Amino acid sequence: MPDKPSVLFVCVHNAGRSQMAAGWLTHLAAGRIEVRSAGSAPAESINPVAVAAMAEAGIDITGQTPKILTTEAVQDSDVVITMGCGDACPFFPGKRYEDWKLDDPAGQDIEAVRGIRDEIRARIEKLIAELDAR
């Protein structure tokens, strides 16, 4: 479907916030939105505490791997959401850019990551409503 919106989530390591956001959007949008995530300096693997927090919510992100941010990923996305690395993201006119100020789950315990997870879910629900209304 050519008018299917696409969203790219970008954070530094693509191991926590952007992976949780991609997991939520994939789950909640149920195929209506194309989902991508990437990092400006990808980690070796996804943060295990982020994986555990998402599993508690019934979302499995264990199959995901951190990916490098590419110019093509930005070009191919309608919405680009950065989480702490806005300066590393290429800018293209006509794209919607947002910077979500979220705590980094790296090095945090499950209680702290649950709060980040829930804040991301609320933002994703708002984003879906906006994209569905367009």
Side-chain angles (χ1 to χ4, degrees), residues 47-82:
N47 179 333
V49 183
V51 170
M54 292 300 285
E56 288 178 354
I59 298 171
D60 181 6
I61 60 171
T62 57
Q64 301 303 313
T65 56
K67 295 169 273 316
I68 187 74
L69 175 64
T70 65
T71 301
E72 293 78 24
V74 177
Q75 283 178 313
D76 293 344
S77 301
D78 299 308
V79 180
V80 179
I81 297 174
T82 58

Side-chain angles (χ1 to χ4, degrees), residues 9 11-22 50 83-85 100-105 116 120:
F9 296 102
C11 67
V12 176
H13 299 297
N14 190 218
R17 295 166 288 187
S18 57
Q19 291 287 353
M20 289 192 291
M83 302 169 180
C85 67
W100 289 0
K101 305 279 189 238
L102 296 162
D103 289 339
D104 188 344
I116 298 165
I120 291 171

